[in-house]
Amino acid sequence: MKVASGSGDKARFFTQGRWWLKALPVKFKAKMVGMARNIKKLAQEDPRRVFHSLKVGLALTLVSTVLYYPYPVYIYFGFDTVWAVMTVVLVFEFSVGATLGRGLNRVIATLLAGGLGIGAHYLAKLFGRIGEPIILVFLVFLQAAISTFLRFFPKIKARYDYGMLIFNMTFSMITVSGFREDQILDIAQKRLSTIIIGAAACVIVSIVVFPVWAGEDLHNLIALNIEKLGNSLEGFGDEYFKRTGGEESKDDKKFLEGYKSVLNSKNSEESLANFAAWEPGHGRFLFRHPWKLYQKVGTLTRECAYRIEALNGCLNADIQPSSEVGSIIQEACTNTSLESGKALKELALAIKIMVPPSSADSHIENAKSAAKNIKSLLKSGIWEDIDLLKVIPGVTVASLLIDVVTCTEKIAESIYELASKAQFKSVEPTLSPKKLHSGQNQSIKKLVNGPDVGINVRELTLPSPPSENSSTSKASKQRMGV
Amino acid sequence: MKVASGSGDKARFFTQGRWWLKALPVKFKAKMVGMARNIKKLAQEDPRRVFHSLKVGLALTLVSTVLYYPYPVYIYFGFDTVWAVMTVVLVFEFSVGATLGRGLNRVIATLLAGGLGIGAHYLAKLFGRIGEPIILVFLVFLQAAISTFLRFFPKIKARYDYGMLIFNMTFSMITVSGFREDQILDIAQKRLSTIIIGAAACVIVSIVVFPVWAGEDLHNLIALNIEKLGNSLEGFGDEYFKRTGGEESKDDKKFLEGYKSVLNSKNSEESLANFAAWEPGHGRFLFRHPWKLYQKVGTLTRECAYRIEALNGCLNADIQPSSEVGSIIQEACTNTSLESGKALKELALAIKIMVPPSSADSHIENAKSAAKNIKSLLKSGIWEDIDLLKVIPGVTVASLLIDVVTCTEKIAESIYELASKAQFKSVEPTLSPKKLHSGQNQSIKKLVNGPDVGINVRELTLPSPPSENSSTSKASKQRMGV
C-alpha cells in the first residue's frame, strides 16, 4: 500500500515535472508579453517618462565624453571625474524644479561642508599627533548627529533634505580623509568643480531638452482634479435616479469614480509645490508664482472630494429611495449636482487658461438656486403621506449636495484669490468690471467651444435661471475689487 | 517742499535704521528661543529622532575609526575608504527595514553593475582603440536610459528604486573609468568590500542600538488611526446634540478632530509596509508577517474617516436640527456613535495586543441595534407634525452614522482576516470556539482593565442589548471557522 502510493507519488512528480518543463517556454513568453505590455502602458500614460530616461542617458554621455575622453582634462581631474558621473545620476530628477533643487543643494552643501571640513582639519592639527584623530572623530560624530536631526524639521525636509545629506557626507569624507592627505585644498577644489560640472549638465539638459516643469504639472494637476470632481458630479444625479428607478447602467461609469484619485493627492501636490518653488519663470508662469495658493485650492478640492465620496456611498447603499420620493426630488437634485459639476468644470477651465473664474459664477448661482429648490421642496407638504424611512436616502443625498455647493463656492473663492495673486489676465482687460464680466464670459465660451454649446442649451431648461444682473455680477464685482 | 520731504526721508531712514539695529539682538534672541523650542518639540514628539541622529553619528564614527585610522587597513583600501563613509550616510535610514532595504539594494546593485561594467569593458576592448570609447559611451547611454525607465514601474519604485539608481551610477563609473585604468578588478573588489562594510555597519547599528522597526510602526499606526476614529465617534454624539441644544463646549474638542490625520495617512502606510517587508522577524512579528493586510485595514479605516469628515461637516454646518427633532433622535444617534466608537477602540486594542477582535463584536452588535433604533424611530409617526426641513440635518447625521456602522463592520472583518493570517493568539486557545469567545472576552477585559469597566456598566443602560447567545456568538463562531 505504502509502496504503491510512493511509486504513484513518484510518477505524479515526474508527470508534473514534465508538464512544468513543457509549460516553461509558454510561461516565459506570457511573462515577456506581459512585461512588454506594461512598458508600453507606462510609456503611453506619460511619454515624458521615455524622454526623461533618454535625457538621463544624454547627460551622462555628455559628462563622460567631456571629462574622461579628452586626455588633458582627465589628467587634470584624475580620479575625481567619478564625482561628475555620480552627481548626474543622483541629481537628475523628473522635473526641472526637482533637478535644480537637488543640484543647488548638492553644490552649496559641498561648498559649505568642504570649507568647514578643511577648518576642522586645521583645528584638529592644533591638538598634536595624538589629539588630532580624537578631535576629528568627535567632530564627525557631532556633525553627523546634528545634520541628521535637522532633517526632521518639516521645512528643512521639504527643501533642503538632500543638501543636509550631502553636507553630512562631504564633511565626514573631507574631515576623515584629511587625516592622511596633504593636498586637501587641491582635492576639495577639484571635487567641487566636477560636482558643479555634473550638476550643470543635469540642469542644462533638463531645461533645454523637452523640459518638464513641476510648476506646470502642479497647475495642471489642480485643474484636472477639479475637473474630475466636476465630471463625477455632472454624472451623479442621472446615475443616482436611474438606479432608484431600477435601471442598471453598467457602461461608462468610470467617470463617476474619477474623484477617487483626488482623495489621496495631497502628497503629490505638496512635493510639486516644493519643486516648483525652485523653478525660474517659464511659459505662462513668472518667477515667484504663488505656488502655495495652489495647495490651498487643492485642500478645498479634497474637502469637496470627501463629500463626493459620501455621495458615492449613497449610490452603492443597500437602501435606495422609493421611486415616489425619487420623482419628487429628482429634478432639483439632478440640477444641483449638474450645475455644481458644471461650475467645477468652468473653474478647472479658468485655471487651465489662466483667467479669473467668473464664467463659473452663473453655474454657481444656478447650483445655489437649485439647492434652494431642494430646500423648499423639502419644506412643502408633499411629504406628509410618505414613510420617513423611505425619504432618508434621498434626503441624505440632497443634504450632501447642498454641502457640495458650499464646497464649490469655497473652491471658487480660493481660485479668485489665486487669480488675483497670480495676475491671471482677463480676456478683455480694458472694459469696465461689469462689461468685463459678461464680455469675458462670452470670450471664454468661445475658447471652450465644443463642450459649452451643450451647456448653453441645457441652461435654458433649468428651473430658475438667476437674472444675469443680480447676484452673479454682484459677486463678480465684489471679487474684482480684491 | 521736495527738499524738506527728502531730508525727512533721510532722518526717518536713519531713525528706522537705528531702531532696527537696536532690535537686532532682541530679534536674534527671539529667533534662537523659537528654534530651541522647535528642537525640543521635535525631540519630545518622538525621542527616537534623537536616538536616530546619535546612531548615524555612531555608525560613521565606527566606520571611520575602523577604516581610516589603522594604518595597514588604510594602505590596503586607500582612497576607496570614502565609499564606506558615503554608504553609511546614504544608507542609514530611520527604521531597520528602510536601512536594510537600502543596504541590500546598494550591495546587490553594486555587485551586478560591477560585473556587467567589467563585462562591458572587455566587450568594448574587442572593437579596437577607436571603437572602444564609442561602444563604451553607447553602453552607458543605453544602460542609463533603461535603468531610469525601469524606476517608473510602481513595483520597482516601491522596493528597488535605490538599487536602480546605484546600478546606474556604478555601471557608468566602472565602464567609463575602465577606459583608463588597468586594475579594474582590484578597484571593483575594494569598492564592493568597503560598501559592504559601510552597509553592514548601518544595519548592525540600526538593529542593535534602540532599533526602530517599520513593521511595529505600521502596526501601531493602524491601531492608533482606528483608535482616533473611535475617539472622534465616541465624542461626536454628545457634542452634536449639545450644540443643537445651543450649548457651546469650546474645551477639549481636539479629540473630535483626531480623525483628520487619518484622511491623508495612505502614503505613510504604504512606505511603512514596503519597509516592513525587508525586516526579519522581530518581537511579536514573525518574518513574512502579512504587512499587506495592514494596508487593507488602513484603506477601510480611511473610508470610515471620510464618513466622519462628513459628520464633522454637519457639526459645523449653519443649519442645525431644531431641539424638537434633536430630542427625538438624540438617544439613538448618540448610542450609535458611542457604540461604533467603542467598537473601533476595541478593534484598535485587539490589534495592539494582537488578539482576535472578538471583544468588539458586542459593541458592533450594539451599534447595529442602535442603528436599527434610529431606523424604527424614523419610521414611526412622531414626525408628521414637523417641518421636514428642520429634520434634514438630523436625518443626515443619522444616515451617516448608519453608514459608519457599516464601515466599522467592514473594518472588523478585515481585522479578523488579519488576525487569522497573522495568527493572532486568542487568550485561551484550548477552549471550544463558543467558550473561547466569551472566555476571551473576559480575559481581554482584564487586560484592558480601566476603560472597559465603564463600557460594561454602560452596556447595561443601552436600549436593546443583544442576547449574548444569538447574533454575537454566531458572528464569532462564523469567524472562528475562517
Side-chain angles (χ1 to χ4, degrees):
Chain A
M1 192 65 181
K2 215 177 176 183
V3 177
S5 102
S7 72
D9 278 356
K10 215 172 177 181
R12 213 177 302 131
F13 176 79
F14 277 109
T15 326
Q16 280 180 351
R18 223 180 305 141
W19 273 346
W20 186 81
L21 271 179
K22 260 190 192 166
L24 203 60
V26 182
K27 270 187 194 164
F28 183 74
K29 204 185 151 194
K31 197 123 197 166
M32 283 292 114
V33 170
M35 216 172 101
R37 207 169 286 148
N38 269 340
I39 291 175
K40 204 180 152 194
K41 200 181 127 211
L42 266 183
Q44 276 177 338
E45 263 175 25
D46 192 349
R48 299 179 304 173
R49 288 171 177 157
V50 180
F51 290 121
H52 172 68
S53 309
L54 297 176
K55 277 156 70 182
V56 173
L58 178 65
L60 259 183
T61 311
L62 272 181
V63 163
S64 38
T65 314
V66 167
L67 287 186
Y68 276 92
Y69 297 109
Y71 199 66
V73 179
Y74 182 76
I75 284 299
Y76 177 72
F77 283 118
F79 188 75
D80 284 312
T81 37
V82 299
W83 293 98
V85 171
M86 245 173 72
T87 303
V88 170
V89 176
L90 294 177
V91 160
F92 211 127
E93 292 274 319
F94 191 62
S95 66
V96 175
T99 308
L100 208 53
R102 273 177 96 91
L104 284 176
N105 261 302
R106 182 158 193 131
V107 169
I108 293 171
T110 305
L111 195 65
L112 284 179
L116 283 177
I118 293 171
H121 179 62
Y122 283 115
L123 177 75
K125 270 260 181 329
L126 301 177
F127 289 82
R129 196 118 189 89
I130 298 160
E132 193 180 343
I134 298 169
I135 292 293
L136 283 176
V137 165
F138 173 73
L139 285 177
V140 166
F141 177 83
L142 192 72
Q143 173 279 135
I146 291 174
S147 61
T148 305
F149 188 76
L150 286 177
R151 290 174 66 198
F152 287 114
F153 279 88
K155 273 185 194 169
I156 293 179
K157 183 143 204 79
R159 298 199 60 182
Y160 308 107
D161 193 59
Y162 188 62
M164 297 310 292
L165 201 72
I166 294 299
F167 181 90
N168 188 355
M169 192 182 89
T170 310
F171 183 89
S172 306
M173 264 167 24
I174 288 197
T175 310
V176 178
S177 75
F179 185 61
R180 301 281 174 189
E181 305 194 37
D182 297 324
Q183 316 124 308
I184 194 163
L185 269 176
D186 182 53
I187 287 179
Q189 177 251 320
K190 275 182 188 160
R191 197 160 299 171
L192 188 64
S193 328
T194 45
I195 285 175
I196 289 176
I197 291 172
C202 292
V203 171
I204 291 169
V205 170
S206 88
I207 291 183
V208 173
V209 188
F210 296 107
V212 174
W213 300 98
E216 206 175 335
D217 273 11
L218 176 63
H219 182 91
N220 294 336
L221 177 67
I222 295 286
L224 182 70
N225 280 351
I226 296 176
E227 197 186 335
K228 278 179 183 169
L229 298 194
N231 283 332
S232 296
L233 278 175
E234 261 195 352
F236 173 78
D238 270 347
E239 180 70 21
Y240 184 69
F241 291 103
K242 232 181 241 167
R243 290 204 193 175
T244 315
E247 288 175 54
E248 271 291 329
S249 59
K250 286 273 173 191
D251 57 327
D252 207 21
K253 270 190 334 187
K254 229 177 173 181
F255 67 96
L256 283 174
E257 307 262 312
Y259 73 91
K260 283 210 187 270
S261 67
V262 183
L263 295 171
N264 290 309
S265 66
K266 190 180 178 227
N267 281 53
S268 20
E269 284 167 23
E270 230 168 53
S271 53
L272 282 177
N274 280 329
F275 296 151
W278 289 106
E279 288 175 352
H282 55 277
R284 305 174 291 169
F285 310 102
L286 301 173
F287 184 56
R288 293 189 172 280
H289 191 76
W291 299 116
K292 288 279 159 198
L293 277 182
Y294 284 89
Q295 282 181 276
K296 191 180 162 189
V297 180
T299 306
L300 293 169
T301 308
R302 247 188 321 284
E303 269 168 27
C304 188
Y306 297 146
R307 305 292 181 280
I308 299 179
E309 164 82 5
L311 278 175
N312 206 49
C314 297
L315 202 60
N316 300 318
D318 301 331
I319 324 160
Q320 297 289 340
S322 63
S323 55
E324 200 181 352
V325 175
S327 65
I328 300 174
I329 55 167
Q330 175 163 11
E331 199 186 347
C333 282
T334 310
N335 278 336
T336 311
S337 87
L338 193 68
E339 285 297 320
S340 35
K342 278 181 187 168
L344 286 172
K345 281 169 83 175
E346 283 289 331
L347 290 171
L349 181 73
I351 294 185
K352 257 187 219 160
I353 59 177
M354 296 181 86
V355 295
S358 40
S359 66
D361 287 348
S362 62
H363 291 296
I364 291 178
E365 287 308 317
N366 289 347
K368 277 161 85 178
S369 71
K372 254 185 210 162
N373 275 356
I374 297 181
K375 285 182 198 169
S376 59
L377 269 176
L378 296 174
K379 249 187 203 163
S380 68
I382 326 174
W383 306 92
E384 269 162 21
D385 306 327
I386 304 175
D387 179 4
L388 193 61
L389 192 65
K390 285 185 183 161
V391 185
I392 297 179
V395 169
T396 308
V397 165
S399 123
L400 283 169
L401 282 173
I402 294 171
D403 236 23
V404 163
V405 175
T406 317
C407 285
T408 308
E409 268 192 283
K410 278 189 197 163
I411 295 173
E413 269 163 36
S414 68
I415 296 175
Y416 266 106
E417 191 189 344
L418 173 66
S420 113
K421 289 263 169 67
Q423 298 169 328
F424 284 3
K425 294 279 185 305
S426 310
V427 182
E428 280 150 300
T430 48
L431 294 175
S432 74
K434 197 177 152 187
K435 276 188 186 164
L436 167 63
H437 176 234
S438 51
Q440 190 184 326
N441 250 352
Q442 283 157 13
S443 329
I444 292 166
K445 288 201 172 137
K446 268 177 219 148
L447 269 167
V448 189
N449 221 351
D452 222 51
V453 176
I455 292 173
N456 279 334
V457 174
R458 280 204 157 183
E459 256 166 29
L460 298 172
T461 66
L462 280 175
S464 56
S467 58
E468 186 59 39
N469 295 326
S470 64
S471 41
T472 311
S473 49
K474 207 172 73 194
S476 77
K477 258 185 220 162
Q478 199 183 321
R479 275 150 184 168
M480 289 294 164
V482 175
Chain B
M1 190 67 180
K2 216 178 173 183
V3 176
S5 102
S7 72
D9 277 356
K10 216 172 176 183
R12 213 177 301 132
F13 177 80
F14 275 110
T15 327
Q16 281 181 352
R18 223 179 306 142
W19 274 344
W20 187 81
L21 270 180
K22 260 189 190 165
L24 203 61
V26 182
K27 269 188 195 163
F28 183 74
K29 202 184 153 194
K31 196 121 197 166
M32 282 294 113
V33 170
M35 215 171 102
R37 207 169 288 149
N38 268 341
I39 291 175
K40 204 179 152 194
K41 200 181 126 210
L42 266 184
Q44 275 177 338
E45 263 175 23
D46 192 350
R48 298 180 305 174
R49 288 172 178 156
V50 180
F51 290 122
H52 172 67
S53 309
L54 296 176
K55 277 156 70 184
V56 174
L58 178 65
L60 259 182
T61 311
L62 273 182
V63 163
S64 39
T65 314
V66 168
L67 288 187
Y68 276 93
Y69 297 109
Y71 198 68
V73 179
Y74 183 75
I75 285 298
Y76 176 71
F77 284 117
F79 188 76
D80 283 313
T81 38
V82 300
W83 292 98
V85 171
M86 247 173 68
T87 303
V88 170
V89 176
L90 295 176
V91 160
F92 212 126
E93 291 275 318
F94 191 62
S95 65
V96 175
T99 309
L100 208 53
R102 273 177 95 90
L104 284 177
N105 262 301
R106 183 160 191 129
V107 169
I108 293 171
T110 305
L111 196 64
L112 284 179
L116 283 177
I118 294 172
H121 178 61
Y122 284 114
L123 176 75
K125 269 261 183 329
L126 301 177
F127 289 81
R129 196 121 189 86
I130 298 161
E132 192 179 346
I134 299 170
I135 292 294
L136 284 176
V137 165
F138 173 73
L139 285 176
V140 166
F141 177 84
L142 192 72
Q143 174 278 136
I146 291 174
S147 62
T148 306
F149 188 77
L150 286 177
R151 288 173 67 199
F152 287 113
F153 279 88
K155 273 186 194 166
I156 292 179
K157 181 142 206 81
R159 298 199 59 183
Y160 308 107
D161 193 58
Y162 187 63
M164 297 310 293
L165 200 73
I166 293 300
F167 181 91
N168 188 355
M169 192 182 88
T170 310
F171 183 89
S172 308
M173 266 170 21
I174 288 196
T175 311
V176 178
S177 75
F179 186 61
R180 300 282 174 190
E181 305 194 38
D182 298 325
Q183 313 126 309
I184 193 163
L185 270 174
D186 182 53
I187 288 179
Q189 179 252 319
K190 275 181 188 161
R191 198 159 298 169
L192 189 64
S193 326
T194 45
I195 285 175
I196 289 176
I197 292 172
C202 293
V203 171
I204 290 169
V205 170
S206 87
I207 291 183
V208 172
V209 189
F210 296 108
V212 174
W213 300 98
E216 207 175 336
D217 273 11
L218 176 64
H219 182 91
N220 293 336
L221 177 68
I222 295 287
L224 182 70
N225 280 350
I226 296 177
E227 197 184 336
K228 277 179 182 169
L229 297 194
N231 282 330
S232 296
L233 277 176
E234 260 196 351
F236 173 79
D238 269 348
E239 180 70 22
Y240 185 71
F241 290 102
K242 233 181 238 166
R243 291 204 191 175
T244 314
E247 290 176 51
E248 270 291 328
S249 60
K250 286 272 172 196
D251 57 326
D252 206 20
K253 269 191 337 189
K254 227 176 174 180
F255 67 94
L256 283 175
E257 306 262 311
Y259 74 92
K260 282 210 188 272
S261 67
V262 183
L263 295 172
N264 289 309
S265 65
K266 191 180 176 224
N267 281 53
S268 20
E269 284 167 20
E270 230 168 52
S271 53
L272 283 177
N274 281 328
F275 296 152
W278 289 106
E279 289 174 352
H282 54 277
R284 305 174 292 169
F285 310 101
L286 302 173
F287 183 55
R288 293 191 171 280
H289 191 75
W291 302 116
K292 288 281 158 197
L293 277 181
Y294 284 89
Q295 282 181 277
K296 191 179 164 190
V297 180
T299 306
L300 293 169
T301 308
R302 249 188 320 285
E303 269 168 28
C304 188
Y306 298 144
R307 304 292 180 279
I308 299 179
E309 164 83 5
L311 278 175
N312 206 49
C314 297
L315 203 61
N316 300 317
D318 302 332
I319 325 161
Q320 296 288 340
S322 63
S323 56
E324 199 182 353
V325 175
S327 65
I328 300 175
I329 55 167
Q330 176 162 10
E331 198 186 348
C333 281
T334 311
N335 278 337
T336 311
S337 88
L338 193 69
E339 286 296 321
S340 35
K342 277 180 188 168
L344 286 172
K345 282 169 83 175
E346 284 288 332
L347 290 172
L349 182 73
I351 294 185
K352 258 187 218 160
I353 58 176
M354 296 182 86
V355 296
S358 41
S359 66
D361 287 348
S362 62
H363 291 297
I364 291 178
E365 286 308 317
N366 290 346
K368 277 162 85 175
S369 72
K372 254 186 211 161
N373 276 355
I374 298 181
K375 284 183 199 170
S376 59
L377 270 176
L378 296 173
K379 249 186 204 165
S380 68
I382 327 175
W383 306 92
E384 268 162 23
D385 307 328
I386 305 174
D387 178 5
L388 193 61
L389 192 64
K390 284 187 184 159
V391 184
I392 296 180
V395 169
T396 308
V397 164
S399 122
L400 281 169
L401 283 173
I402 295 171
D403 236 22
V404 163
V405 175
T406 317
C407 285
T408 309
E409 268 192 283
K410 278 189 197 161
I411 294 174
E413 268 164 37
S414 69
I415 297 175
Y416 266 105
E417 192 189 343
L418 173 66
S420 111
K421 289 263 171 68
Q423 297 170 327
F424 284 4
K425 294 280 187 305
S426 311
V427 182
E428 281 151 301
T430 48
L431 294 174
S432 74
K434 199 177 150 190
K435 276 187 185 166
L436 165 65
H437 177 234
S438 51
Q440 187 184 330
N441 249 353
Q442 283 158 12
S443 330
I444 292 166
K445 287 195 174 144
K446 267 176 218 152
L447 270 167
V448 189
N449 221 349
D452 222 52
V453 176
I455 291 171
N456 279 333
V457 174
R458 281 206 156 184
E459 255 166 31
L460 298 172
T461 66
L462 278 176
S464 56
S467 59
E468 186 61 40
N469 296 325
S470 64
S471 41
T472 313
S473 50
K474 206 172 74 196
S476 77
K477 259 185 218 164
Q478 198 184 321
R479 275 149 183 169
M480 290 294 164
V482 176

